[in-house]
């Protein structure tokens, strides 16, 4: 298998310039910074790198010169006599003590690794010893990263987003539970949805009507049947309670057709109320109508009326352009890919794949798919290794690397190296939850493009060569957030194995300490069982 790597020389050169500029600014603003400590560090680095063998030679010469004055021969003789007089009990005590100490170190290292994800010994080495030996201090990039223009900016925090393509609870999630007996949604995920519904449907309404108060309580109920009963109670209070029909469409309807019927009823109620509503409740009903229209478009998409769904999404985006945070364009991109309207997909990407707008896996991987589709049908790893990559192939590989850097979990789902599950109602950008949500809906589009998955398979791992330290420095994006694993474990069900990047492997010192502990324990046991034999062996070695 050919793995193709891109260097990204321009971006790396800009990063080097920005780092050099920052160093010059720091040196100019603090002329005493290069004091005795910096000189000592540079001297130690130079001596460690180039003249280690000189130190070793000087030690040998010193031992040779001082052999007679210090009576080293007599010292060695007395030491050998001392070792020959030791009893087996001493070796039992020695090996037992060594085994106990190494075991305690192993337990502490394992606890520290489980809590902080790194070895304590390695952490001390990196933080304190490596700077003295001329290495780069890792603490300088822990909280900040250097952008291309040289300005230090904070890392982004892990923010949970509403999944633009979330499924219907009654018609889809509940069916999965009936068949498998597993719950596809976590309480944390559903609680976030309840908060979204309360904020989106009531917001800062100064005066709640009785049915709205019942619906606010309904969203907070954990039991689905209790939510449905509360929705019917709200309808009894007011037959024109659109939010109650929305809840029934989401959770009671067992088919998409039935859900669409309830959403249409809620839409007609909402339109009638919107005509004579007061200004204070205007935003409340606008949000409700936007939500209903979006779900109706998704119903049309699921029922095969894709052109109708595309028209509804375009009208919604045109009518409410300020609601871009809802990411309706991601629904539109998926529907256009199903229609194979690649020119329209490119037009949408040109509008939303902007440097000033937040990215998503849908944006990055759809862009990569379009570029890969142009060359993937004729792409051959063997031919590419012989003749090199063409300009179009280079653009496709670069787009794949960009997408993988943004979310490295997606390729394993697209290449079916990891099994898919139902996507959660909320996702974490750049996390495993976003990867599941994207691959669940877009895997079919990658399969439809001939050779696209083959090109992805041959090139995606090259991204990790470009980004050797993803938690400290990125290539095209921010450093990868280290908090994604914790949030994904709360969003994804327990039966799903959460993908972790970068993969946490056992540090060398934990493995070394475990081996040392096992070896000394074995020696202690052998010494206890065969003291005379081990004593003879120890004297022979000494």
């Amino acid at each position: 298998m050919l793995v193709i790597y891109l260097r990204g020389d321009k971006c790396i050169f800009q990063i080097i310039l920005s780092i050099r500029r920052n160093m010059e600014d720091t040196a100019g603003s603090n002329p005493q910074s290069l004091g005795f400590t910096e000189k000592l560090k540079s001297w130690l680095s130079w001596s460690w790198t180039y003249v280690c063998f000189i130190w070793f030679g000087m030690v040998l010469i010193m031992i040779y010169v001082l052999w007679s004055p210090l009576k080293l021969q007599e010292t060695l003789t007395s030491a050998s006599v001392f070792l020959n007089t030791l009893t087996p009990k001493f070796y039992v005590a020695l090996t037992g003590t060594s085994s106990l100490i190494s075991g305690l170190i192993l337990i502490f290292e394992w606890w520290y690794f489980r809590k902080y994800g790194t070895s304590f010994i390695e952490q001390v080495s990196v933080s304190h010893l490596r700077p003295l030996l001329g290495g780069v201090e890792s603490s300088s990039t822990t909280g900040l990263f250097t952008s291309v223009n040289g300005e230090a900016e904070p890392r982004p925090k892990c923010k949970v987003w509403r999944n633009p393509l979330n499924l219907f609870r009654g018609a889809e999630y509940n069916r999965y539970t009936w068949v498998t007996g597993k719950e596809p949604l976590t309480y944390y995920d559903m609680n976030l949805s309840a908060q979204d519904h309360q904020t989106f449907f009531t917001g800062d309404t100064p005066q709640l009507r009785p049915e709205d108060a019942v619906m606010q309580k309904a969203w907070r109920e954990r039991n689905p049947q209790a939510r449905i009963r509360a929705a019917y109670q709200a309808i009894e209070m007011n037959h024109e309670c659109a939010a109650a029909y929305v809840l029934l469409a989401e959770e009671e309807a067992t088919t998409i057709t039935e859900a669409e019927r309830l959403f249409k009823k809620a839409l007609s109620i909402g339109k009638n109320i919107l005509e004579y509503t007061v200004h204070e409740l205007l935003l409340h009903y606008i949000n409700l109508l936007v939500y209903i229209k979006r779900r109706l478009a998704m119903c049309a998409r699921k029922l095969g009326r894709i052109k109708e769904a595309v028209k509804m999404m375009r009208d919604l985006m045109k009518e409410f352009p300020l609601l871009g945070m809802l990411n309706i364009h991601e629904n539109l991109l998926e529907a256009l890919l199903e229609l194979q309207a690649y020119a329209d997909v490119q037009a949408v990407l040109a509008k939303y794949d902007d440097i000033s707008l937040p990215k998503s896996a849908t944006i990055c991987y759809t862009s990569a798919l379009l570029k890969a589709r142009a060359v993937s049908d004729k792409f051959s790893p063997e031919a590419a290794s012989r003749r090199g990559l063409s300009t179009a192939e280079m653009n496709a590989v670069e787009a794949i690397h960009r997408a993988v850097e943004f979310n490295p979990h997606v390729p394993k789902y697209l290449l079916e190296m990891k099994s898919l599950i139902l996507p959660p109602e909320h996702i974490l950008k750049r996390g495993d939850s976003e990867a599941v949500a994207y691959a669940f809906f877009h895997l079919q589009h990658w399969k439809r493009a001939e050779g696209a998955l083959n090109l992805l398979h041959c090139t995606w791992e090259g991204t990790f060569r470009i980004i050797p330290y993803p938690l400290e420095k990125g290539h095209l994006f921010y450093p990868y957030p280290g908090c994604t694993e914790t949030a994904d474990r709360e969003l994804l069900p327990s039966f799903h194995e959460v993908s972790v990047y970068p993969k946490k492997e056992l540090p060398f010192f934990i493995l070394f300490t475990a081996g040392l502990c096992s070896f000394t324990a074995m020696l202690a046991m052998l010494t206890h069982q065969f003291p005379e034999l081990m004593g003879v062996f120890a004297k022979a070695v000494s």
Side-chain angles (χ1 to χ4, degrees), residues 86-104:
L86 293 175
T87 63
K89 293 182 179 179
F90 170 79
Y91 293 106
V92 173
L94 177 63
T95 52
T97 305
S98 302
S99 177
L100 176 63
I101 294 174
S102 57
L104 292 175

Side-chain angles (χ1 to χ4, degrees), residues 168-172 174-175 178 248-259 262:
F168 295 86
R169 287 189 187 177
E172 293 172 307
N174 285 349
R175 285 179 173 271
W178 297 338
L248 294 177
E250 291 283 355
E251 304 206 26
E252 188 186 39
T254 56
T255 63
I256 300 297
T257 304
E258 186 179 354
L262 290 170

Side-chain angles (χ1 to χ4, degrees), residues 165 297-298 300-302 305-314 328-342 344-345 362 441-442 444-445 448:
L165 295 167
M298 295 176 70
R301 162 69 182 91
K302 293 176 184 291
R305 305 195 307 270
I306 305 173
K307 291 185 178 179
E308 178 185 341
V310 168
K311 183 180 183 305
M312 294 173 69
M313 293 172 191
R314 288 188 185 277
I328 302 174
H329 59 275
E330 296 194 10
N331 301 84
L332 179 61
L333 284 172
E334 196 279 327
L336 290 174
L337 285 172
E338 182 65 22
L339 288 176
Q340 301 184 44
Y342 297 110
D344 293 336
V345 172
T362 301
F441 294 100
H442 289 263
Q444 57 179 334
H445 306 315
R448 188 181 293 123

Side-chain angles (χ1 to χ4, degrees), residues 164-384:
L165 295 167
N166 66 305
L167 304 178
F168 295 86
R169 287 189 187 177
E172 293 172 307
Y173 286 121
N174 285 349
R175 285 179 173 271
Y176 179 84
T177 304
W178 297 338
V179 174
T180 64
K182 298 178 179 179
E183 290 290 344
L185 298 176
T186 64
Y187 281 121
Y188 175 73
D189 191 15
M190 291 190 288
N191 184 51
L192 290 176
S193 297
Q195 295 175 15
D196 292 342
H197 292 146
Q198 292 178 69
T199 304
F200 204 64
F201 294 152
T202 58
D204 299 326
T205 307
Q207 223 173 9
L208 283 178
R209 298 177 304 174
E211 62 270 19
D212 291 333
V214 171
M215 289 306 302
Q216 269 209 336
K217 182 181 177 182
W219 298 121
R220 292 194 297 267
E221 290 285 351
R222 279 195 170 188
N223 188 349
Q225 296 303 320
R227 290 195 292 270
I228 294 172
R229 285 196 299 269
Y232 278 114
Q233 181 184 351
I235 292 175
E236 289 178 2
M237 293 180 176
N238 184 0
H239 291 286
E240 293 189 344
C241 182
Y245 288 104
V246 168
L247 190 147
L248 294 177
E250 291 283 355
E251 304 206 26
E252 188 186 39
T254 56
T255 63
I256 300 297
T257 304
E258 186 179 354
E260 185 181 36
R261 178 183 63 81
L262 290 170
F263 275 123
K264 286 182 176 178
K265 189 169 185 178
L267 180 63
S268 62
I269 293 173
K271 285 182 177 179
N272 292 335
I273 297 177
L274 191 63
E275 293 179 358
Y276 57 85
T277 188
V278 295
H279 178 71
E280 289 78 6
L281 297 174
L282 185 62
L283 182 60
H284 160 60
Y285 283 106
I286 288 178
N287 290 340
L288 185 62
L289 287 177
V290 170
Y291 182 91
I292 295 171
K293 289 182 178 180
R294 180 190 190 143
R295 297 303 264 176
L296 280 173
M298 295 176 70
C299 288
R301 162 69 182 91
K302 293 176 184 291
L303 293 173
R305 305 195 307 270
I306 305 173
K307 291 185 178 179
E308 178 185 341
V310 168
K311 183 180 183 305
M312 294 173 69
M313 293 172 191
R314 288 188 185 277
D315 293 342
L316 196 56
M317 293 167 62
K318 189 180 299 183
E319 188 176 357
F320 304 100
L322 298 179
L323 293 179
M325 61 179 180
L326 299 178
N327 297 321
I328 302 174
H329 59 275
E330 296 194 10
N331 301 84
L332 179 61
L333 284 172
E334 196 279 327
L336 290 174
L337 285 172
E338 182 65 22
L339 288 176
Q340 301 184 44
Y342 297 110
D344 293 336
V345 172
Q346 185 60 54
V348 175
L349 284 177
K351 182 178 180 181
Y352 288 96
D353 194 6
D354 186 81
I355 191 171
S356 61
L357 297 176
K359 298 294 183 293
S360 66
T362 301
I363 293 291
C364 295
Y365 278 90
T366 302
S367 178
L369 174 60
L370 292 187
K371 292 182 180 179
R373 176 181 166 273
V375 297
S376 59
D377 56 338
K378 299 179 182 179
F379 177 78
S380 170
E382 294 77 13

Side-chain angles (χ1 to χ4, degrees), residues 23 31 75 87 107 111 160 175 182 217 263 389-390 438 482:
M23 292 176 62
T75 304
T87 63
I107 293 172
W111 169 82
V160 176
R175 285 179 173 271
K182 298 178 179 179
K217 182 181 177 182
F263 275 123
L389 293 175
S390 64
Y438 172 80

Side-chain angles (χ1 to χ4, degrees), residues 141-145 154-161 359 403-409 427-432 434 467 469-488 498-504:
T141 55
T142 300
L144 301 174
F145 82 101
R155 281 188 178 188
K157 295 182 179 180
C158 291
K159 179 183 177 182
V160 176
W161 298 73
K359 298 294 183 293
V404 174
E405 180 185 352
F406 182 82
N407 193 318
H409 309 287
I427 59 175
L428 184 68
K429 288 190 176 182
R430 307 187 73 178
D432 191 34
E434 184 191 34
I467 317 167
Y469 305 104
L471 296 179
E472 298 180 6
K473 184 175 68 174
H475 180 60
L476 298 173
F477 297 101
Y478 291 91
Y480 188 82
C483 58
T484 55
E485 179 185 358
T486 304
D488 279 332
V498 176
S499 178
V500 180
Y501 173 76
K503 184 67 176 177
K504 289 184 179 178

